[in-house]
Amino acid sequence: MAKAENSVPAPAVRRLSLYLRQLEAFQSNNLQTVSSKQLGQALSLSDAQVRKDLAYFGQFGHPGVGYRVSELIERLRQILGTDRKTTAMLVGLGNLGHALMQYRGFNKKNFEIVAAFDKDPTKLGQAIPDRPAMTIQPMTEMLETVNHLNIKLGLICVPAEVAQDVADMMITAGVRGILNFAPISLKVGPNVVMSSVDLAVQLEQLAFQLSAMQNRATEPRQ
Amino acid sequence: MAKAENSVPAPAVRRLSLYLRQLEAFQSNNLQTVSSKQLGQALSLSDAQVRKDLAYFGQFGHPGVGYRVSELIERLRQILGTDRKTTAMLVGLGNLGHALMQYRGFNKKNFEIVAAFDKDPTKLGQAIPDRPAMTIQPMTEMLETVNHLNIKLGLICVPAEVAQDVADMMITAGVRGILNFAPISLKVGPNVVMSSVDLAVQLEQLAFQLSAMQNRATEPRQ
DNA sequence: TTTTGTGAATTGCTTCACAGCA
DNA sequence: TGCTGTGAAGCAATTCACAAAA
């Protein structure tokens, strides 16, 4: 039986996504089975790491054979919860918001954006490219729409200054998860999960590693 | 004196970016000094964590007082390497590529995109909105442009199938870092740093936590 | 007093190495 | 033989708790 989620290291859950992606690549190359060693090499991880990560959730492998690709893909989707559809809404239709409305990756992972909100009165009622059935709604309709369409996830694409207010509104409306694109650290209560996508943070991590490399090159011995 | 970079835990470096962002917020609220406790609370971290993270890089605090906001901001920028300008190029001008060309956050963090490439012949020579000085160049000009403009970083916005090839071209041309937006795990040699931005992975992490929460609600006792 | 910086203790994660199965 | 699943060992990160500084 699978372990309780709270005993699984967070990094292991993160790698589950990478395993799934790599397995999908193997599958489109018509590979039937894969060993922990092969999977690890493709992702620059050790075979032991792969086995231990998967073992947190159950026994999916076949000794002497490896893992059956299609079987493991199916199991990973169940574990990650992307075998069921998740409905989402998006708030803030600036540059980024519009780009995300166009993004096809959501549907590939079984997410569907079913509503879009903005507080700018000039945008209200506007159509959204490639989305004939949707228009931009005013913030006042959020509560009703979330309940009516049973929306589970909210995407925040507004400026940092108003991001916390929007998060609070979403939570009040009944959303269970938030994906935050604003460069600010949001507070959410218990029973709400939050994840942030922050390009500035990624850039700084790269900048740091670039300078570290530079330093190693100029003064090899400390 | 600051410790050698290789002895610093990676999660600590990651949090440095969060500290910097929060300090900038404190600064625009005219706060002069901040304690590790205040900084930690704003980011949902312990005070001990904040102090230890900062101590990896030197002694910036003042016992009984805390940290001077402007001083710490300056030091963090130096440590992260965003006090100096980093030149970058972007490859792949689809939806995402164009959105990133518009994104102002790069300049705020002292990154500058100075060249854009695409292999599609119909896009070559096209102007880029808000970028009067740049046109889309063919891939064959990459080597020369990287050397001429001393480009340090490459952004990959091409489909997964060709992302590794583009990465290899970039490295051959002399780039030192890569920010990959394609949903694939890239291999780069030593002396090149790589970081990936993958929305699909983030979505799956959220989906997992959403189902975990659901399970906790339905069966509180394991 | 307040608050830092830091060894020591603790917790968590990864790697090792091997029994058991196909 | 080849490969998984897993305790045990080893390593890494976080938290504790307190001396020292202002």
Side-chain angles (χ1 to χ4, degrees), chain A:
Chain A
M1 180 49 196
K3 278 195 184 183
E5 278 81 3
N6 60 25
S7 68
V8 179
V13 179
R14 216 190 140 61
R15 286 188 295 268
L16 247 41
S17 292
L18 305 183
Y19 299 148
L20 177 53
R21 188 168 71 192
Q22 190 61 52
L23 286 163
E24 287 166 346
F26 283 147
Q27 191 172 52
S28 51
N29 288 348
N30 292 316
L31 215 50
Q32 300 292 311
T33 64
V34 73
S35 68
S36 56
K37 193 173 176 186
Q38 288 174 286
L39 192 48
Q41 276 177 346
L43 297 168
S44 309
L45 299 168
S46 74
D47 55 337
Q49 178 98 79
V50 173
R51 289 199 301 279
K52 181 133 287 210
D53 285 347
L54 296 175
Y56 283 122
F57 300 95
Q59 307 197 158
F60 312 134
H62 305 276
V65 178
Y67 300 87
R68 297 202 220 292
V69 173
S70 64
E71 182 192 340
L72 189 50
I73 287 176
E74 198 182 341
R75 299 300 232 106
L76 288 178
R77 285 189 185 140
Q78 283 170 13
I79 292 163
L80 289 170
T82 52
D83 58 332
R84 290 146 285 166
K85 179 150 312 254
T86 301
T87 51
M89 67 177 165
L90 185 151
V91 178
L93 286 125
N95 254 334
L96 174 65
H98 271 110
L100 287 173
M101 291 300 300
Q102 313 263 69
Y103 177 63
R104 289 207 217 74
F106 290 114
N107 287 315
K108 282 193 194 133
K109 292 293 176 184
N110 232 340
F111 286 80
E112 193 179 4
I113 300 181
V114 295
F117 298 86
D118 202 294
K119 74 166 187 188
D120 179 354
T122 67
K123 288 184 184 165
L124 300 183
Q126 273 185 17
I128 299 165
D130 301 339
R131 299 285 190 147
M134 285 173 54
T135 58
I136 301 178
Q137 298 178 253
M139 304 291 277
T140 47
E141 292 179 9
M142 189 187 290
L143 187 80
E144 194 194 328
T145 304
V146 166
N147 284 288
H148 186 236
L149 299 178
N150 194 23
I151 291 172
K152 290 285 193 299
L153 183 73
L155 312 185
I156 296 185
C157 308
V158 301
E161 301 80 47
V162 293
Q164 183 65 61
D165 292 341
V166 170
D168 294 343
M169 274 189 79
M170 285 179 167
I171 294 168
T172 303
V175 150
R176 313 314 308 269
I178 289 176
L179 185 52
N180 172 41
F181 291 86
I184 184 176
S185 165
L186 297 180
K187 307 267 191 192
V188 302
N191 304 324
V192 178
V193 298
M194 211 268 299
S195 172
S196 278
V197 177
D198 193 335
L199 200 44
V201 171
Q202 300 262 8
L203 285 171
E204 282 170 340
Q205 299 304 302
L206 270 176
F208 174 80
Q209 292 180 78
L210 282 172
S211 348
M213 218 168 51
Q214 212 89 47
N215 292 344
R216 267 203 311 281
T218 39
E219 34 171 327
R221 213 135 303 280
Q222 75 127 1

